Every structure is written in structure tokens, then in C-alpha cells.
Amino acid sequence: MALSTKKSAAAGQVQKKKKITDANLLLIITIAIFLIMYIGAMIFLGGGFLNAQNLFNILMQQSALIITACGMSLVMITGGIDISVGGVVALVCMSCAVSLDYMNWNVPMSILLALGIGLAYGIVQGFLVAYLEIQPFIISLAGMFFARGMTTIVHTEPFNVQNEAFTALKNTRIIVPGMGNVNRLGNYIDAYINIGVIVALVIVIGLFVMLRWTKLGRSFYAVGGNSQSALMLGINVRRTKFIAHLMCSVLAGIAGYVYFLYVGSGSASHASGMEMDAIASSIIGGTLLTGGVGNIIGTFVGVLSLSTIQNIVSSVGLDEAWWTGITVAAMLCLFLVIQSVITSRKRD
Amino acid sequence: MQKTNTNKKSVGQMLKNLTRKQIFIPIVALLLLALFNLIMDPSFYQIKFGYNSAGNPVLSGYIITILDNGSELAILAIGMTLVTAATGGQDISVGAAIAIAGSVILRVLCGTEARPAELQAPIIVAFLVACVVSMLFGAFNGILVAQFKIQPMVATLILYTAGRNIAAWINQNQLPIVSDATFGYFGGMIPGIPIPTPVFIAIACIVITALALKFTNLGLYTQSVGINESSSRLNGLNPKFIKFITFVILGLCVAVVGLIKVSRLSTINYSVIAKDIEMDAILAVALGGNALSGGKFNMPASIMGAYTIQFLTTTLYKFKVASEALPAYKAVVVIILVVMSAPIVKERLASLGKKLRAHNAKEVG
């Protein structure tokens, strides 16, 4: 429901300007494809897709990905990239798990630990990228290696967390009124979400507001669009890039804790490939890797599209694991080609 | 007095020229690593001659291991350097593409059986089929990058996501095992020759590349497209075709690496084979001092970079670093290297050196 109002808002804006900009067109295509896909699934597959709980399940599964993808979009809007986020998520999971179970820390301390890891990552990577002008790809590649390696150094074997306060927090369900459904026995079951979803939605809205209406947010676009002109305008390009990387890593730290809340365990193989999913969601959401174009709402819809595809594939019955990867790739390919055709047509 | 001064200057000049050479970075890194090993344990450089269980002569030692295991990376670095130079981006799908190539080879060799008593097709046929398939996937990447103007990293993200799934699909998730001994020659040793075969394959690839760069315009054209696409188009080059062809060449490299990788094991593991090798290959290019944003490239430096990375990996293994923890140490080394070679840091150091020298001169004066 929230999505459709967003769409109409976007459409209203288009009418006001009488001209569809590239960014808006990409966003509209993304939202349209997501809606077509989801409504199509509702009509042809029915079953679970008719329940609101299905959408909430997607949100719960992907809340960590939503947060990392938002961070990724910020960096990509400034023209950079950060592929260390998956590693940071795994590192945060493992460190928090060890701190809770082996060192008897309490939950707030472990949250601080997660934020601390993100902050440390952001400061180091942001400094190297922004002030030493090293390519962000290489730096975050090293960052990813480091995080993955450190995760196994912290603890090698995967294990489930037993800490009581944490399990209570993990199992907290927030009931969404009026969205439940009646099961086969005729009982009404409330629809629910978890804390991670709330965190993710707050972050999405916060970043959307920041990018659209604050000076910092606008300077992100300026730096990504043309850093030379941004410099001429008096924007501190280096500081802006630094802040983008800092925010991305801190968000990865938060995402790590949200992921930890969802899975409740520490493992070196957690969140493997999450950085690529985050990049893919950002791209599907209309963010250009060249910088200057992007939208947090688009990224959010991008994540939803990715996981809806996975959902559809598994409910159609193509349960051999490889079909998920292949369809996601095909979808990514489709979106990239559409984007490319649109942008090149505009250029001509 | 005068003479020593000029002497000093010329030495300084020489040093300056040397440090400006691109190949300087990987060589210094390699020397540092070599020195570290020499101090820690000189037996690192020992090469033993012995006989393996089958009674064939073998050379063993860490240096041989580095040359052996570094072959795949060196071969990939060749293709990756060309792609980087022409497109200003990197192909992150090579690991997945290797899985596909390996899967194709096994599929052709084994047919539908999981453990065939004898090969269903000659190895050369399997290899050629893998070459064609890999080049097709390379062409797919190439079309996306050249025709649709998608950033290479993003375009190859598609194959990265799908590749290992396609590899599993080709063999219906079975793990065929080749029992034929000759298949093991490509990743192991040919009886009677004490040096592992991958070393020879890598040398052959390097020689072919060197000849191609010397006698064709490949190097010149890729560099000019990478430096300025529109002006090379105005000069009569076809940038789209050149970008496309670099991806096809990388596809060929991938097929060769796929053969070596599968031959080493005589089987395949779809999710583990050549894992993270794309990162190592990109690092090799970066370590070689090549700009990851495209343009000029230095092929020997890239290959040098590949072996340096393998040297680092082997050194870490020697010090009993667990294979899962290895990336952390690698990352630290990489960050140090990259920071040292960053232009800004270099400038700062140079100006600091100048200041110090000026200070010294004043004191002397």
C-alpha cells in the first residue's frame, strides 16, 4: 500500500515538471515491474502470496539486506563502491555472538560492539578512499578479505547463541493490526514483523529524507555527478566521500546486528554474497554505478523485487537450487539492458 | 668533492628512474617477501629432488609450489589486464566462468555417467568445447559492456550470480570423477618430467601473449581505447570491437585455467572451485601498478603481481595460517602496498624527503 502512494507521488512530480528525468523513469520502471510481478504472483500462484504475511516474511528475511543496500546506494551515488559490507555483517554476527555467549556481555554492549565495528571500518575505509584517493574497489576488496578472515580468527566454528536476553529480543514479534488472515481451521492469525523490519524501515525513511532535503544529501548527488563542478560549488568533496563511506560501513554494522537478530548465530559463512546482492538491488532500484543518480526508495523496491523473484521461483516448483541464481541473474541482465537503452536514448 | 656530488646525483637519478618504472612495485613487494622468508627460515628456498609414490622424479619445495599454484593466477592476470586496460573495469565473473568451463570439460569427458570406466571423448575435444563455451560467455560479457555500455563490474555481476548455478546445472549437480590417468597430467605432472605441468602451460600462455603484443596491434589498440575512447574512434579504431575482443580473450584464459583446475582434482566442486580467484586476479593487476581505471598497462608487471600474490599465499600457509583466516593477512599486506603506491602518499613522501634534504643542505652550508 505504501508503495502505491509512493508511485502516485512520483507520478505527480512528473506531471508538475512535464518531463520525466532519467532517474524518475528508472524508478517508475522498477516499481512497475515489482508491482506487476507481485500482482502476477498473487493472481497466478495465489496461496501464500495473497497473505500480507508473505510480504512481511520477505521484509523480515531481507531487512539486513535492505540496510546494506541503502548504505551501498549512498556510496554508489557519490561514485564509489563498497564490497566489504557482507564481510562486515559476518564479522559483526560472529563478534556479537562470541561477546554474548563467551564473554557474558549484555545486549546493549553487543549493539555498541556492532556499531563500533562499523564505525572503525568506515573511518579506515573512508580515510583511505577519500583522503588518499585510492580506488574504493581495491580498498573495500581488502576490507572484505580482512572481515572474512577476522571472522574465523574470532571464532572458527559456527554456533547458536544461548543468551536469554538476546533470544527474547530475537523472538519479539510486533503484531501489525488488520493485516492478519484466517487459516484453514478458521482461526484468525495476526500478521507480525520483527524488530529488524522496524529498524530497516526507519533507516529507509531517514535516508530518503536526508538525500532529498538536506544539504549533505544534495552534496552526495553533486559529488557523484561531477566532482569537479562540486568542488567549484564549494562542496568539500573529500569530506562528502568520507561521510558516504562512513555511513555505509556504520549501516553495515547495524545490518550485521539485524542479521544477527534474525539468524541468532555466528558463522563465517553468514551473509556470503550479500555485497553482490546489495549492489544488484541498488542497480535494479535505478542507482547508476557511475554516480549521481539513485534513490533510496528504488533500492528498497530493488531488494523486494529480488526476493520476490526468489519466492516465485521456489513456489513455482523449480526447487533445484540453481534456478534461483539463474533467474536473479536474468532479471539483473534485463534491468541493466533497459537502463542502458534508456540512458543511451536520452543521450542521442 | 664535485665528483662525488655528481655521482650521487646520477645514482639518485637512476633510483628515481627505477622507482618510476611500473614493474618496480611488484618486484619490491616480491623482494620484501623473499627477504622476510630468508630471515625467518632459509629452508624456504630449498628445492628437493625425489621420487613420488609412482616412482616418477619430482622436484619439491616452496618455490616449485609457488610456480605451480601461481600458474592459474598468472594466466588469468593476462586476460584481466587486457580487460582492465580497454574497459576501465574488471571482470568479477572469472571464478564462476572457471566453474562453468570445468563443468563443461567433465560433462564432455564423462557423458552422462558419474564414473565412466573410460573417457567418452578425447581430452582435446573436451578442452576445445570448454574454450568455445568460455569464449561465448566472454562474448556475452563483452556485448553487455561494449554494446550496451554497462560498467564492466556490473555487467559481469550477472555471470557472477548465475555462473556457479549454470555449472551445477550442466552436470545436474552430479560430481563426475575422471579416473583416466592422462587427464591428471594437465594439473599434475607428466611422468618423467620433474616440474609440474601448469608451469609449462603458464609459460606457454605468457610466451603467446608476449608474441601477440609484439607482433599485433592488440596492446596499442586496447591502450588507446582505454585512454580515450572517442578519439580512438575518430582515428579509425572500433572501440566496441576491441572491448569485446578483450573479454573473449579473457574467456580463453578462463578455459585454460578451468582445465588446470579440474585436472588437479579429477573432479569438481561447484561452489568451491576457483573461489575468490577473481579478487586475486584483480589484485594482481593492481599490484602490477596498472591503473584500474583503464589506459596504459604493463603485462610483465601484472604477471609479476600474480606470482607475488601466490608467494604471499604460500608464505602464509607455511606459517600455518588457517586457510579461512588467510584473507585477513592478505588484506593487511594489500592495504600496505596500495597505500604505499598511492600517488598522494608518494607525493607527500617525496616532498618530505625534499624538505629533509634542503634542511641537511642548509646545515652543511
Side-chain angles (χ1 to χ4, degrees), chain B residues 174-194:
Chain B
Q174 284 181 334
L175 307 173
I177 295 172
V178 179
S179 44
D180 196 284
T182 48
F183 184 62
Y185 290 171
F186 298 97
M189 308 217 183
I190 297 173
I193 300 172

Side-chain angles (χ1 to χ4, degrees), chain A residues 81 83 124 128 130-135 137-139 141-150 152-153 156 238 273 275-277 279-280 283 288-291 320-326 328-330 332-334 336-337 340-341 344 347, chain B residues 90 92 140 144 147-151 153-155 157-166 168-169 172-173 276 278-280 282-283 286 290-294 324-332 334-335 338-340 342-345 348:
Chain A
I81 196 158
I83 57 173
V124 173
L128 291 175
Y131 290 96
L132 296 187
E133 289 175 12
I134 305 172
Q135 277 143 336
F137 185 86
I138 288 296
I139 287 301
L141 183 72
M144 182 183 83
F145 277 150
F146 187 74
R148 290 272 173 214
M150 274 315 279
T152 54
I153 292 174
T156 317
R238 286 181 171 177
E275 56 279 341
M276 295 305 166
D277 280 345
I279 295 174
I283 290 164
L288 294 186
L289 245 193
T290 39
E320 287 102 334
W322 52 78
W323 285 113
T324 319
I326 294 176
V328 169
L332 191 60
C333 182
L334 177 76
L336 286 171
V337 171
S340 141
V341 169
S344 68
R347 223 177 284 138
Chain B
Q90 288 77 38
I92 58 170
F140 170 74
L144 286 179
Q147 186 64 38
F148 290 103
K149 294 197 170 33
I150 302 170
Q151 299 98 323
M153 256 200 59
V154 184
L157 182 66
I158 297 171
L159 193 55
Y160 175 92
T161 320
R164 289 177 194 277
N165 295 299
I166 295 175
W169 171 66
Q172 297 296 315
N173 221 4
D276 290 342
E278 53 273 356
M279 305 302 175
D280 276 353
I282 296 167
L283 280 181
N290 300 298
L292 289 183
S293 48
E324 291 93 7
L326 196 97
Y329 297 91
K330 233 185 217 176
V332 172
V334 167
I335 288 184
V338 175
V339 168
M340 289 308 284
I344 289 194
V345 178
R348 288 268 165 82

Side-chain angles (χ1 to χ4, degrees), chain B residues 25-241:
Chain B
I25 305 166
I27 284 184
V28 165
L30 195 62
L31 285 181
L32 281 178
L33 275 171
L35 198 68
F36 174 75
N37 273 312
L38 197 65
I39 294 167
M40 296 305 283
D41 184 8
S43 72
F44 188 84
Y45 298 100
Q46 227 168 40
I47 295 177
K48 284 186 201 133
F49 185 80
Y51 292 89
N52 64 4
S53 52
N56 295 314
V58 271
L59 285 175
S60 60
Y62 286 108
I63 297 295
I64 302 290
T65 316
I66 291 167
L67 287 175
D68 181 11
N69 290 331
S71 327
E72 287 108 316
L73 209 51
I75 296 169
L76 276 184
I78 294 171
M80 193 65 89
T81 308
L82 288 175
V83 166
T84 304
T87 65
Q90 288 77 38
D91 184 341
I92 58 170
S93 70
V94 285
I98 289 169
I100 296 177
S103 191
V104 166
I105 289 175
L106 287 180
R107 175 76 178 174
V108 175
L109 285 182
C110 298
T112 50
E113 290 172 57
R115 284 176 181 70
E118 53 189 45
L119 298 180
Q120 309 281 326
I123 295 170
I124 183 78
V125 173
F127 175 61
L128 287 178
V129 173
C131 282
V132 171
V133 171
S134 296
M135 282 158 84
L136 279 178
F137 278 110
F140 170 74
N141 283 337
I143 288 172
L144 286 179
V145 171
Q147 186 64 38
F148 290 103
K149 294 197 170 33
I150 302 170
Q151 299 98 323
M153 256 200 59
V154 184
T156 51
L157 182 66
I158 297 171
L159 193 55
Y160 175 92
T161 320
R164 289 177 194 277
N165 295 299
I166 295 175
W169 171 66
I170 288 173
N171 273 313
Q172 297 296 315
N173 221 4
Q174 284 181 334
L175 307 173
I177 295 172
V178 179
S179 44
D180 196 284
T182 48
F183 184 62
Y185 290 171
F186 298 97
M189 308 217 183
I190 297 173
I193 300 172
I195 297 170
T197 325
V199 178
F200 295 112
I201 299 178
I203 291 173
C205 288
I206 292 169
V207 168
I208 291 171
T209 317
L211 290 177
L213 288 178
K214 184 140 182 79
F215 292 108
T216 67
N217 286 331
L218 180 73
L220 180 67
Y221 286 1
T222 44
Q223 295 190 39
S224 72
V225 168
I227 292 168
N228 192 331
E229 190 180 334
S230 48
S231 62
S232 26
R233 192 174 53 79
L234 293 176
N235 276 309
L237 298 183
N238 185 349
K240 280 183 187 172
F241 179 71

